Amino acid sequence: MSTTITTLTTAPFATPLPANLTHSATPKVAALATGGYEFPGIPKIDDPYKKRQWQLEHMAGAFRVFARKGFTEGTSGHISVRDPVDPNTFWINPMGKHFGMLKASDMVQIDEAGQVIGGNKTAVNAAGFMIHSAIHKARPDINAACHTHSPAGKAWSAFGRPLDIINQDSCNFYGIQVVYKAFGGVVLGAEEGVKIAEALGPKGRAIILQNHGLLTAGGTVDEAAYLFTCMERSCEVQLMVESAGLPKKFIGDKEAELTSNVNADAETLYTEFQPDFEFEGHDV
């Protein structure tokens, strides 16, 4: 069941959405809400140009969230979003502009050859292009990817280990997290980007890059961004748990899979990001 709306209820300050936009609430999302009202899911936008603008606004909002949470590190870090008009191209942030200052109009459209073809005509991070282009090529189901040099992610990546499934939030990564165990330096060659995409595999949506940091992906930038914020916090919690030096209690596979099925589908992860987006999404 879907309800036709004319504005985006989760971010009333963003560009109004067209009359043909609908929110599709899946049974999973609906099961998490009560009170007699349907909770909106991912909006369905038929016009690819309007969808492009909507995605860029959410992309800018995600960068604002990352800035507030302290994921900035010089010029490192990038979010990419596949273009709905020309799916062989994608949008990425400009080189050297603070996450907290980014707007939709700042984003750069780039093609498979690494050439700027639209949007803000400026340089982009070369390593970001190598990583994100390889992922977008390898995984048609992935429309967005996030990578930053966040503190807890960098710290946990030094162990070359996946996160333990030790709390409800870490269950979001059950069956979708992988570890890329090679560090080949700054990713300036296409081969390293391809290796990262290959490590992600056909179903992975979260990857720990050993001695580097975290990367998450999803069908929407909201899904990828929420997975990133959740993974960064999970790394922080894991480091706290490790420092205690006490025996850990692990969540069983059955319980972890059940929790993941409820909490880690695309609609629910999109929904989880909306409070942060709404807080930061003004003037995007």
Side-chain angles (χ1 to χ4, degrees):
M1 180 179 181
S2 61
T3 304
T4 301
I5 62 174
T6 55
T7 57
L8 181 56
T9 57
T10 53
F13 35 74
T15 300
L17 293 172
N20 65 342
L21 180 149
T22 60
H23 279 290
S24 57
T26 67
K28 288 183 180 179
V29 175
L32 300 178
T34 188
Y37 288 88
E38 182 181 275
F39 196 85
I42 301 171
K44 184 178 182 298
I45 308 174
D46 295 326
D47 186 326
Y49 291 94
K50 290 184 172 64
K51 185 175 182 179
R52 171 194 281 172
Q53 181 61 28
W54 178 81
Q55 287 186 158
L56 292 175
E57 290 174 0
H58 279 244
M59 183 179 177
F63 275 115
R64 306 284 187 90
V65 172
F66 283 12
R68 172 164 54 87
K69 292 180 181 288
F71 300 168
T72 58
E73 192 66 65
T75 62
S76 300
H78 9 84
I79 297 175
S80 65
V81 175
R82 189 188 302 275
D83 184 56
V85 178
D86 182 358
N88 292 321
T89 70
F90 62 91
W91 296 77
I92 197 166
N93 48 304
M95 178 79 172
K97 187 159 185 175
H98 194 279
F99 291 176
M101 299 174 64
L102 288 169
K103 299 182 180 181
S105 58
D106 291 312
M107 304 309 171
V108 183
Q109 187 182 14
I110 196 163
D111 66 14
E112 292 182 341
Q115 296 302 303
V116 174
I117 61 169
N120 183 16
K121 301 293 180 68
T122 188
V124 303
N125 185 294
F129 167 74
M130 292 299 178
I131 295 171
H132 290 257
S133 61
I135 291 171
H136 284 293
K137 286 179 184 178
R139 291 281 299 276
D141 60 310
I142 287 176
N143 292 321
C146 303
H147 167 63
T148 80
H149 293 183
S150 53
K154 284 191 291 187
W156 182 250
S157 76
F159 296 100
R161 286 175 46 194
L163 288 164
D164 291 333
I165 308 301
I166 51 176
N167 52 59
Q168 179 172 305
D169 291 332
S170 65
C171 289
N172 286 334
F173 305 105
Y174 182 82
I176 68 164
Q177 67 166 328
V178 297
V179 177
Y180 179 61
K181 290 185 173 292
F183 177 71
V186 179
V187 185
L188 296 178
E191 183 179 353
E192 187 74 1
V194 170
K195 288 180 179 178
I196 291 172
E198 288 175 346
L200 196 59
K203 295 183 179 180
R205 285 184 287 154
I207 183 168
I208 296 170
L209 306 171
Q210 185 175 299
N211 306 115
H212 189 167
L214 310 177
L215 185 146
T216 58
T220 62
V221 67
D222 306 73
E223 176 187 351
Y226 179 72
L227 279 173
F228 194 97
T229 61
C230 184
M231 196 172 204
E232 168 70 7
R233 181 57 61 87
S234 295
C235 288
E236 181 182 359
V237 171
Q238 177 99 39
L239 290 164
M240 294 168 64
V241 170
E242 298 291 333
S243 68
L246 300 173
K248 288 176 282 190
K249 302 295 184 182
F250 294 88
I251 296 174
D253 287 339
K254 181 180 178 181
E255 293 79 10
E257 183 177 14
L258 172 64
T259 305
S260 175
N261 287 340
V262 172
N263 286 345
D265 66 285
E267 290 273 353
T268 304
L269 293 172
Y270 167 88
T271 300
E272 290 283 10
F273 190 66
Q274 297 318 297
D276 261 332
F277 173 72
E278 185 172 0
F279 187 80
E280 295 289 349
H282 55 85
D283 192 28
V284 293

